[in-house]
Amino acid sequence: MIPISKESGLGWTTLSVDNAAGSPNAIKNDVTNFQFATPRGVQDTTGVDKSAMERLLLLADMSITLNGVFDDGSNLAHDTFKSVPSTSVPRTTSLAVSGQTLAGELLYTDYSMTRAQDGSLLWTAPGVLADGTVPTWA
């Protein structure tokens, strides 16, 4: 029998973001979807003597966009992000599933809300790498 290690995106065990004071808040219940990326820069080093591209890997980066439902309970999403417009602090953001964790110090650059036509109140919080530490799965 071949073991199956493939998994769905269901059941993220951790999704936490520090508030402005540096305390982690578990906000996965308020987050409806998210996207993150850990790209590397590349430098084209192709000489005129080549028929194909040559490149060097450069700096690592990380970005995330969290989307969710408004919840102003203590230590939940609104409590976590309400200080984004007035503070300039990096926030530890941790994602974990199936024993695999990706954490980074991120600067959240916006906390925007949308009141949709159907009456729903939704938010978006994009973040980018803050401290020069390479994001690494552990």
Side-chain angles (χ1 to χ4, degrees), residues 4-78:
I4 298 176
S5 57
K6 295 177 183 178
E7 298 181 34
S8 72
L10 303 175
W12 281 79
T13 57
T14 301
L15 198 167
S16 66
V17 178
D18 283 2
N19 61 22
S23 298
N25 290 336
I27 61 169
K28 71 179 184 176
N29 188 55
D30 297 336
V31 175
T32 57
N33 63 83
F34 62 93
Q35 176 182 344
F36 65 93
T38 55
R40 297 280 304 265
V42 292
Q43 179 181 354
D44 179 0
T45 61
T46 308
V48 295
D49 61 333
K50 298 293 189 262
S51 297
M53 298 298 292
E54 289 180 305
R55 295 183 178 96
L56 296 174
L57 281 175
L58 301 175
L59 296 174
D61 201 358
M62 181 177 180
S63 64
I64 194 165
T65 300
L66 302 173
N67 301 292
V69 177
F70 184 78
D71 187 341
D72 63 353
S74 180
N75 298 323
L76 297 176
H78 181 69

